[in-house]
Amino acid sequence: MSDRKVIDARGSFCPGPLMELIAGMKLAQVGEELELLSTDKGSANDVPEWIRKVGHEILDNREELGVWHIVVKKMK
Amino acid sequence: MKILIVGGGMGGTILANNLARRLPAELKAGKARITMLSASDKHMYQPGLLYLAFGRTTPDELYRDQASLLEPGIKFFVDPVEQFLLDKNQVKTKSGKTYDYDVMVIATGSRPVPETIPGLAEHSETFYTEETAVKMFRRLQGFEGGRVVIAVGVPHKCPMAPLEITFMLHDYFKDRGLLDKVKLHYTYPIGRVHSLENVAKWAAPEFDRLGITYETLFNIKEVDGKAKVVHSEEGTQAPFDLLISIPAHRGMEVIEKNGLGQGGWIPTNRTRLNMEGRDNVFALGDTTNIPISKAGSTAHFEAEALGENIAAMVKLGAPVRDYDGKVFCFIEAGKDRATYAMFDYQNPPQPKEPTRAVHWFKMAYNKLYWVSARGLL
């Protein structure tokens, strides 16, 4: 999707991928999709955990060449 | 070459002085010109606000006249930019003047926006401005016991502030003999007590040792001042008698109004620091959208890289180095002990046990900052 916003958090130790995603979600509109790029393998678990807890949606969660691509949709 | 620096904070000031020291002959011969536009004639040492909240410094100690910090040869005007005309290589300022540039660096910083969370500004204490830090100091002085909650907005300036304020609150109440009447409860937006994993591994046992409780995956949704409860996006609640907040931040309004970046953060190349899609416009410090700490040291190290590169553009016609993501943050672990975290894009920090020596080095740096801003340290 061409208008999907990408949050490139590769190599980010601080604030880190999940914090970058939280910041991005605050600026996003309901229904908007964001793609998080992370080189932190922990993102594969901690991002879905937060997304589920808050009530957004995970659309994709895959690893390619050491980079996790996690696509989420803002639901509220 | 006309070099225009927009913003007179830590990043802009260090960059301007760095450039002036690298280009004395070019400035004298008129081959280079450095102009700084700022919104204020004063320069604040923002990390000092943490100490102001405890009465350990006073407001006057946090300021210097901006002009006094700048090398001779730098043209400084208190005239904030209102319009960025990137296709014309121009900016227009509040006074109505137009400034041309060959190279522009935007270092306008960030601002706390507690008003974006219902109830937060009215019902919490914070320390990100002089006014709020003094107000927090007075509130702490009158506080005689109860449940103190620390709540953290995203994104925020100074990633160590949530930990530092918590440890310093502990020692403050200890010194006042109130620890048996105070319950400190720390909350944090992600699944551990700090974004840096190694810092979190150090801080969580410290909290346990000191009797500070904590709750992770807690993002502030709203504050009910009447019921004295913070509600989280995750559906939990934290009741409080005193709420200390680290407010969320945004970039400056002028960045958003000019369409330079959502949230006021300019899309910036993480190594060359140029604005995405622009070769002659750069951003540094809090202003960028780089996924890196919004901290003074970030601005400092970025300014040094950018100073070397812009000077090379004048002398060699091209930049010569990358910014490697270097960040150095002190971490106050109470009133008289501190540690630090140093990291870059490739290497995570390995924080050491806090010591008095590092705390006193931080105290010394609070004074040495003015030398650092002048580009001498």
Side-chain angles (χ1 to χ4, degrees):
Chain A
M1 182 181 281
S2 60
D3 60 352
R4 178 185 287 163
K5 186 181 176 190
V6 174
I7 297 174
D8 186 353
R10 289 176 293 177
S12 177
F13 294 118
C14 183
L18 179 52
M19 203 83 95
E20 288 289 337
L21 178 65
I22 293 170
M25 290 292 266
K26 288 176 74 172
L27 294 173
Q29 303 294 317
V30 173
E32 195 174 337
E33 296 176 11
L34 302 178
E35 180 172 1
L36 177 71
L37 307 184
S38 172
T39 45
D40 178 357
K41 63 183 178 184
S43 297
N45 295 320
D46 65 14
V47 171
E49 181 188 2
W50 179 74
I51 288 290
R52 274 193 297 271
K53 205 163 183 179
V54 176
H56 300 308
E57 190 176 338
I58 290 276
L59 301 180
D60 197 7
N61 185 358
R62 68 184 192 284
E63 189 237 326
E64 287 177 14
L65 303 172
V67 178
W68 277 262
H69 298 249
I70 306 172
V71 182
V72 304
K73 185 174 182 179
K74 182 165 177 168
M75 300 303 290
K76 59 182 185 181
Chain B
M1 180 181 281
K2 289 175 282 189
I3 303 164
L4 179 64
I5 299 172
V6 181
M10 182 184 275
T13 302
I14 291 174
L15 173 65
N17 286 325
N18 185 299
L19 280 169
R21 289 175 189 282
R22 290 178 184 277
L23 300 169
E26 288 80 1
L27 289 172
K28 194 173 180 183
K31 291 180 180 174
R33 193 171 75 198
I34 304 170
T35 303
M36 172 181 281
L37 300 173
S38 179
S40 173
D41 64 344
K42 298 281 189 253
H43 186 115
M44 176 195 261
Y45 175 57
Q46 296 180 49
L49 291 167
L50 179 70
Y51 304 90
L52 181 58
F54 292 96
R56 291 170 61 178
T57 189
T58 50
D60 55 299
E61 292 187 71
L62 304 182
Y63 293 95
R64 295 287 187 277
D65 288 334
Q66 175 65 13
S68 75
L69 299 174
L70 297 173
E71 285 285 307
I74 298 168
K75 297 180 187 306
F76 172 62
F77 302 101
V78 180
D79 195 5
V81 171
E82 293 195 335
Q83 279 184 279
F84 290 90
L85 307 170
L86 301 187
D87 291 335
K88 293 182 177 177
N89 290 342
Q90 289 179 336
V91 299
K92 287 192 174 178
T93 62
K94 189 176 181 182
S95 72
K97 288 182 183 165
T98 299
Y99 291 82
D100 298 312
Y101 62 83
D102 297 304
V103 168
M104 175 169 64
V105 181
I106 305 174
T108 44
S110 63
R111 62 199 164 103
V113 287
E115 66 274 14
T116 57
I117 302 286
L120 188 66
E122 303 90 319
H123 303 295
S124 73
E125 302 297 335
T126 187
F127 53 93
Y128 274 79
T129 63
E130 178 192 328
E131 181 188 5
T132 56
V134 170
K135 180 170 169 281
M136 177 171 160
F137 164 67
R138 291 178 180 159
R139 180 79 190 277
L140 287 177
Q141 275 203 315
F143 189 72
E144 295 298 332
R147 184 175 160 90
V148 181
V149 170
I150 295 91
V152 180
V154 180
H156 56 266
K157 176 162 35 188
C158 189
M160 302 308 173
L163 293 177
E164 291 183 301
I165 197 73
T166 304
F167 289 127
M168 289 171 77
L169 281 166
H170 174 275
D171 282 8
Y172 171 83
F173 289 125
K174 183 180 178 184
D175 282 354
R176 286 186 55 201
L178 291 173
L179 266 191
D180 58 336
K181 295 177 183 169
V182 171
K183 177 70 183 168
L184 282 167
H185 184 69
Y186 174 92
T187 68
Y188 201 67
I190 65 170
R192 54 182 182 244
V193 300
H194 193 263
S195 52
L196 288 163
E197 188 172 5
N198 288 340
V199 172
K201 284 179 180 172
W202 159 74
E206 281 290 286
F207 283 164
D208 293 336
R209 184 176 69 80
L210 299 171
I212 299 167
T213 56
Y214 48 90
E215 178 176 354
T216 57
L217 290 175
F218 190 102
N219 284 275
I220 317 166
K221 181 181 180 184
E222 60 184 335
V223 180
D224 182 339
K226 199 171 179 183
K228 291 192 168 185
V229 173
V230 194
H231 296 268
S232 77
E233 294 281 357
E234 291 78 5
T236 54
Q237 295 85 36
F240 65 87
D241 296 298
L242 173 59
L243 176 61
I244 306 292
S245 69
I246 307 294
H249 282 64
R250 282 191 149 196
M252 303 310 274
E253 277 183 304
V254 68
I255 304 299
E256 282 193 277
K257 281 182 179 170
N258 279 268
L260 301 189
Q262 192 184 23
W265 316 118
I266 296 178
T268 305
N269 181 285
R270 64 171 68 189
T271 53
R272 283 298 162 97
L273 302 174
N274 60 294
M275 179 178 176
E276 297 289 357
R278 301 276 170 180
D279 291 332
N280 68 334
V281 178
F282 299 86
L284 62 78
D286 291 358
T287 312
T288 79
N289 77 334
I290 300 174
I292 195 170
S293 308
K294 296 201 178 298
S297 73
T298 307
H300 184 144
F301 295 124
E302 288 175 344
E304 288 186 347
L306 205 47
E308 193 171 343
N309 278 345
I310 293 174
M313 288 164 71
V314 172
K315 295 180 181 181
L316 304 172
V320 290
R321 64 168 281 200
D322 287 343
Y323 169 61
D324 62 2
K326 184 178 178 185
V327 179
F328 179 101
C329 292
F330 286 103
I331 311 172
E332 289 282 19
K335 66 172 183 176
D336 57 7
R337 296 183 312 133
T339 181
Y340 63 89
M342 186 165 66
F343 53 100
D344 58 34
Y345 289 142
Q346 305 297 327
N347 303 291
Q350 305 290 341
K352 308 286 190 296
E353 276 300 303
T355 64
R356 286 175 184 266
V358 177
H359 166 73
W360 285 110
F361 186 64
K362 168 67 176 177
M363 292 295 100
Y365 182 78
N366 287 344
K367 303 295 182 190
L368 287 170
Y369 170 73
W370 303 110
V371 181
S372 181
R374 289 182 172 94
L376 296 169
L377 180 69

